[in-house]
Amino acid sequence: MTERPIYITAATHISMQQPLDEQWLTEPILHTEPYVRSIDPNFRQWLNPLEARRMGKILKRALVTASEAMTRSGINNPDAIITGTGLGCIENTELILEALCRDGEQTLKPTYFMQSTHNTISSLIAIHHRCHGYNSTYSHRGVSFDAALLDAFVQLSLGDIATALVTGNDELTPSYFNILKRLGYVGNPRQVPAGEASAAIMLATEPGDNPLCRLEQCRLSYGTPPLDTLPRDVDTVMLGINGHDANDELYRQIATLYPDATLLRYKHIFGESYTASALGVYAAAAIVNAGVIPAAMSLDGKASSAAAPRRLLVVNHSDSRCLSFTLLSKP
Amino acid sequence: MEQLVEELKKNIIEVLNLEDLQPDDIDAAAPLFGEGLGLDSIDALELIVMMEKNYGIKIKDPAEGKEIFKSIDAMAEYVAAHRTK
Amino acid sequence: MSTIAITGAGIVSAIGVGKSATLAALRSVASGIGPRRYLHSTHDEFPLGEVKLSDSEMKQRLGITAEPTTRTALMGMLAMDEALDQARLLRGADGARVALISGTTVGGMDKSERYYLDFLAGDSRNAYIDTHDCGATTQMIADRYGFFTLATSISTACSSAANAFVLGANLLRAGMADIAVVGGSECLSKFHLNGFNSLMILDREPCRPFDATRAGLNLGEGAAYLVLETEETALRRGATPLATLSGYGNACDAFHQTATSPEGNGAFLAMSKALKMARLKPADIDYVNAHGTATPNNDATESQALIRLFGKELPPVSSTKGMTGHTTSASGSVEATICLLALQEQLVPVNCGFGGNAMPDGIRPATDPVPPRKLRHVMCNSFGFGGNDTSLIISKL
């Protein structure tokens, strides 16, 4: 594999922060409720009503973050569109499940089914923008986005493609929040809010006019976390700490490996979800680009005095079994 | 018949989620698919579901739907002749 | 680039558990499609390609008693056992970095659809809530063996398992894994049976791929996994290369969520990409295992794409879904395994269900099991909703 530099040339989000901008860098909204839905932009700016009439929230958000990443990067026909989603279009899935369980196997609404499969998101982006390139979707719990990013990273590194749009999308319905709460994943005392995620990241082997950062490494593993493989030559580490012990223990262990680095957390600002790491990588890219670290993101209060990050490692795990890391650097 | 036409317009707006339209915006004689309202094959399937749920009319072949769903007027005629509820 | 070898394969479908049962059924053209027997459903009008084992029979075969399990995971384990055994991995991987890339869309839906109201009410069936998602099924399969150093799930509907080959092979090419086990598993569910029914693309008769009288697909279920590694790794481990994965292509039709473009653009692009990667010409392909679902739309547009690509040099083409049913997310690896058997046995799997009425503008599928020339390169097509189209090429060593 030849070492080709890979750049993040645009990154966008719709989340529990102000949508599609970086206002959170200076004025983050700190939610205190256990369950927070995303702040949506006015979708009409991007979607005509006839086109949007079948789309649930997750599809509208995905299409808007993707379209904005394309516009801002100037890459309107990426070689690949790859999405990570933990639960896919869960709202439509629940509507079908509910109908099946309550009314039996009577006539089901075709639209719900058509837009219940996970790959609806990536293919909708492709259909809307007429992109005939590589198109795929990963759905693997808390590392769904991470797998999508890995797929793009490998193809870019191999030289098979030159540009890739990688997205992370999950919606959270009130009923699924309750289900996840019962499982003990969210809604615990002192835990960050459960939320929704939509992030789109444009990767390219050419920097373009204004790259946010470089994507240096991307790894995903399963089983006993191979902590010895984590890159050490970094100045900043962003961890997925969410205030729940079962989740945080591994991050605390990782934090001890970096006594000299600035430690950051992001989930109290962007919420916990199956694709929270998409917002983590988005936020990390924005921080490297801006050269500032918001005080609210500091894990130990030391960040505000820290220098602008040059090498930022984002670490994410799912069930302490799937470990991923993403290394970003200043170009 | 006029009442049925109005009812169908309301039903179509509801099942197809055409939230920006009012019943008066739909020309009962105009084509629903293609140029007119711009509906597509998935909408046709939704209308088949609606016909069964609301009027007890079973349409087995999607190709049959093409004729029945030509316009609101055509639908109203078909419903009046075939409804079982 | 070093050659990517296939060193193991395992398969479970309506036509049998394991490669030898599958081969026997292919030879005798014994379809596995029949009346519903295992799926909990009231739709008795639709024939199904069910795996002829109940969940508890599968558990017995696998020697497991633990819950929760899902049918998708159980079928996956049956196929995985066979694939790993052939690749000499069943007893462990000796420290090799082994990636599992598994395709599924239904995941644990068989249990979710039974217990969903209990989930909402907070009832005792909670064990199944956490097995709903795609990743849970992949991890259940991975944890049976304990040596996977990467496990992830692809969900691109009916091309999921085929797309697993793409990431798996790319990880090998990039040196990020030593071995990649790729494929998919998908059980039947009420959820997608009713979903396909709502799209009015299910046939009430046994399906007839590429026949002018075709009226839709029959759903099936199954699982298959193939073991990929570089020839060097295989040699070092003492595993026997069976064939090579010489090319793969993924493209998006970008036309409609459930319908394909009239010209089959995505299919054409996916096949062209796979040929380019394999450095082959269309005339080099000796057999095509078509996606061939038997829906009016798919078979017409896939025909167009095949005719456009191959012109007068169209090799034997068949759909094996007339035997297995459409195994949806698993179809890519189920049919890749059938392609592997075709290469090894020099056999053209015939297009079961074709009654001799070719489409006016379509291809005429293969009905003769004897290949007109030696099979060296075979192509396997998998197309999914949303226009997620993938084509694989498997070649003789």
Side-chain angles (χ1 to χ4, degrees):
Chain A
M1 182 166 67
T2 45
E3 285 294 322
R4 279 180 189 77
I6 298 166
Y7 300 90
I8 294 182
T9 60
T12 59
H13 79 105
I14 293 174
S15 67
M16 56 179 73
Q17 297 299 314
Q18 285 301 329
L20 302 165
D21 71 22
E22 278 69 52
Q23 206 178 311
W24 55 270
L25 277 169
T26 48
E27 296 162 63
I29 307 168
L30 296 170
H31 299 272
T32 51
E33 309 89 326
Y35 166 41
V36 179
R37 312 245 8 201
S38 286
I39 303 170
D40 286 318
N42 182 4
F43 292 118
R44 282 174 191 237
Q45 197 185 325
W46 293 270
L47 303 168
N48 75 57
L50 195 67
E51 191 185 7
R53 73 191 193 283
R54 289 195 198 119
M55 296 179 196
K57 282 272 167 68
I58 188 173
L59 292 179
K60 289 180 185 163
R61 291 171 187 154
L63 193 51
V64 168
T65 49
S67 301
E68 275 298 297
M70 287 172 158
T71 305
R72 293 180 195 181
S73 64
I75 298 167
N76 294 311
N77 198 349
D79 295 340
I81 298 174
I82 312 172
T83 290
T85 177
L87 293 168
C89 303
I90 192 71
E91 188 173 8
N92 280 356
T93 305
E94 287 190 307
L95 288 170
I96 299 175
L97 279 170
E98 188 121 22
L100 281 177
C101 291
R102 294 201 200 278
D103 310 332
E105 296 174 81
Q106 294 174 3
T107 344
L108 214 63
K109 278 175 78 70
T111 302
Y112 292 163
F113 179 65
M114 179 180 88
Q115 304 208 326
S116 72
T117 53
H118 303 74
N119 65 326
T120 306
I121 303 165
S122 257
S123 43
L124 176 75
I125 299 168
I127 291 167
H128 186 88
H129 290 285
R130 298 180 203 288
C131 300
H132 292 283
Y134 180 89
N135 194 292
S136 196
T137 301
Y138 290 83
S139 180
H140 196 95
R141 302 180 75 88
V143 288
S144 301
F145 169 79
D146 314 61
L149 191 65
L150 176 74
D151 181 340
F153 177 80
V154 172
Q155 293 193 63
L156 289 160
S157 302
L158 287 167
D160 290 357
I161 58 173
T163 53
L165 178 72
V166 182
T167 85
N169 284 283
D170 266 300
E171 60 186 350
L172 186 60
T173 59
S175 51
Y176 223 86
F177 167 72
N178 283 324
I179 286 174
L180 292 177
K181 188 178 167 184
R182 204 168 306 126
L183 289 169
Y185 291 141
V186 297
N188 298 294
R190 290 180 302 284
Q191 195 176 12
V192 304
E196 307 179 291
S198 179
I201 288 164
M202 187 66 82
L203 303 173
T205 48
E206 293 294 328
D209 295 335
N210 204 2
L212 302 181
C213 59
R214 259 185 76 174
L215 171 65
E216 298 228 358
Q217 280 188 55
C218 190
R219 292 287 186 281
L220 180 61
S221 62
Y222 186 71
T224 309
L227 300 186
D228 55 320
T229 62
L230 289 168
R232 296 300 176 86
D233 56 335
V234 301
D235 51 57
T236 312
V237 181
M238 192 185 253
L239 301 167
I241 284 185
N242 75 11
H244 181 47
D245 281 344
N247 170 73
D248 293 353
E249 207 180 294
L250 182 58
Y251 291 120
R252 284 196 210 103
Q253 206 182 325
I254 292 166
T256 63
L257 303 173
Y258 297 93
D260 301 323
T262 306
L263 300 176
L264 306 181
R265 62 189 180 122
Y266 63 95
K267 287 186 179 172
H268 62 306
I269 291 177
F270 288 100
E272 180 60 284
S273 70
Y274 277 119
T275 38
S277 61
L279 293 169
V281 171
Y282 151 75
I287 286 171
V288 172
N289 181 49
V292 291
I293 295 171
M297 296 184 94
S298 172
L299 193 63
D300 48 15
K302 284 193 255 169
S304 51
S305 57
R310 298 202 64 83
R311 291 174 68 78
L312 195 166
L313 182 71
V314 186
V315 185
N316 179 42
H317 79 78
S318 177
D319 312 323
S320 304
R321 279 195 284 178
C322 303
L323 180 78
S324 97
F325 70 79
T326 307
L327 178 60
L328 306 181
S329 70
K330 191 91 189 156
Chain B
M1 191 60 93
E2 210 164 289
Q3 205 185 335
L4 183 57
V5 165
E6 282 309 299
E7 184 183 307
L8 281 171
K9 285 182 180 176
K10 278 186 200 148
N11 285 343
I12 286 175
I13 288 171
E14 193 198 317
V15 300
L16 302 184
N17 211 3
L18 301 165
E19 45 190 44
D20 278 2
L21 287 184
Q22 297 296 321
D24 286 349
D25 298 335
I26 304 178
D27 178 355
L32 288 172
F33 291 83
E35 279 168 36
L37 209 48
L39 304 184
D40 69 6
S41 61
I42 295 296
D43 295 308
L45 294 171
E46 289 289 356
L47 293 181
I48 289 174
V49 174
M50 190 270 283
M51 294 287 267
E52 182 171 349
K53 275 200 174 141
N54 294 15
Y55 305 107
I57 296 173
K58 272 194 195 241
I59 298 167
K60 288 235 167 92
D61 182 1
E64 252 179 85
K66 269 191 187 150
E67 279 303 301
I68 303 167
F69 302 141
K70 239 165 52 188
S71 64
I72 298 273
D73 283 339
M75 274 179 86
E77 255 174 61
Y78 190 85
V79 169
H82 295 88
R83 66 190 299 168
T84 62
K85 66 178 178 193
Chain C
M1 169 191 139
S2 52
T3 305
I4 292 171
I6 298 169
T7 56
I11 184 170
V12 176
S13 79
I15 57 173
V17 176
K19 292 189 294 288
S20 56
T22 304
L23 182 61
L26 289 173
R27 284 195 193 285
S28 59
V29 198
S31 171
I33 293 170
R36 183 190 64 79
R37 195 169 139 198
Y38 300 96
L39 178 71
H40 295 264
S41 169
T42 53
H43 283 301
D44 284 331
E45 70 275 32
F46 299 123
L48 299 173
E50 291 176 300
V51 170
K52 309 292 181 282
L53 291 170
S54 68
D55 289 14
S56 53
E57 284 165 334
M58 286 189 208
K59 286 172 77 173
Q60 209 169 1
R61 280 197 184 210
L62 290 161
I64 55 176
T65 49
E67 279 295 329
T69 54
T70 65
R71 189 166 170 87
T72 297
L74 294 171
M75 294 189 311
M77 291 176 197
L78 285 171
M80 184 66 81
D81 275 5
E82 187 188 19
L84 296 182
D85 189 31
Q86 187 173 26
R88 306 181 78 151
L89 283 167
L90 202 50
R91 291 205 181 85
D94 255 346
R97 295 167 302 162
V98 191
L100 168 59
I101 298 123
S102 187
T104 190
T105 302
V106 165
M109 187 62 84
D110 60 320
K111 295 296 198 298
S112 301
E113 67 191 16
R114 218 180 297 174
Y115 302 122
Y116 182 67
L117 295 183
D118 299 333
F119 290 4
L120 292 181
D123 199 17
S124 57
R125 304 287 186 178
N126 275 358
Y128 296 112
I129 302 180
D130 211 16
T131 60
H132 169 80
D133 63 290
C134 301
T137 285
T138 303
Q139 292 188 182
M140 263 186 256
I141 297 169
D143 290 346
R144 176 171 170 83
Y145 310 97
F147 55 70
F148 287 104
T149 53
L150 191 163
T152 192
S153 313
I154 289 188
S155 188
T156 55
C158 303
S159 59
S160 303
N163 281 326
F165 285 73
V166 179
L167 179 67
N170 285 345
L171 287 171
L172 297 177
R173 289 168 60 208
M176 290 171 79
D178 301 313
I179 297 168
V181 184
V182 301
S185 179
E186 193 123 292
C187 72
L188 279 158
S189 76
K190 246 181 356 194
F191 187 96
H192 71 290
L193 180 67
N194 282 277
F196 277 85
N197 186 31
S198 78
L199 298 175
M200 301 184 93
I201 50 175
L202 293 178
D203 198 339
R204 284 155 205 261
E205 305 295 324
C207 69
R208 299 174 297 285
F210 294 107
D211 195 286
T213 68
R214 73 198 182 284
L217 59 87
N218 302 142
L219 280 174
E221 62 182 352
Y225 290 96
L226 290 93
V227 180
L228 308 179
E229 55 194 307
T230 59
E231 268 189 316
E232 299 84 77
T233 307
L235 206 68
R236 198 170 61 238
R237 295 193 316 110
T240 310
L242 311 167
T244 66
L245 177 68
S246 51
Y248 42 88
N250 162 314
C252 188
D253 198 38
F255 178 73
H256 188 273
Q257 289 289 1
T258 56
T260 44
S261 60
E263 323 78 41
N265 277 329
F268 178 83
L269 287 170
M271 291 188 282
S272 306
K273 269 189 183 177
L275 280 171
K276 190 177 168 204
M277 181 177 183
R279 296 183 187 183
L280 294 173
K281 299 186 297 295
D284 296 325
I285 298 295
D286 303 306
Y287 163 65
V288 179
N289 187 293
H291 188 55
T293 56
T295 63
N297 184 233
N298 177 82
D299 293 6
T301 57
E302 190 174 8
S303 280
Q304 288 311 305
L306 285 165
I307 291 165
R308 196 166 134 207
L309 183 67
F310 289 97
K312 285 185 181 144
E313 287 161 329
L314 188 74
V317 178
S318 72
S319 162
T320 43
K321 290 185 173 70
M323 297 184 66
T324 60
H326 188 353
T327 58
T328 52
S329 289
S331 63
S333 54
V334 163
E335 289 160 27
T337 303
I338 289 174
C339 284
L340 177 68
L341 294 172
L343 263 189
Q344 290 181 306
E345 303 295 324
Q346 291 295 307
L347 163 84
V348 171
V350 301
N351 192 102
C352 179
F354 180 69
N357 309 300
M359 295 177 261
D361 307 313
I363 59 118
R364 193 177 182 86
T367 47
D368 183 356
V370 181
R373 60 175 188 249
K374 192 180 173 195
L375 302 186
R376 302 172 61 86
H377 305 285
V378 301
M379 181 180 261
C380 185
N381 284 345
S382 299
F383 309 144
F385 278 170
N388 277 160
D389 298 342
T390 297
S391 188
L392 308 172
I393 299 174
I394 298 174
S395 301
K396 256 192 115 56
L397 285 166

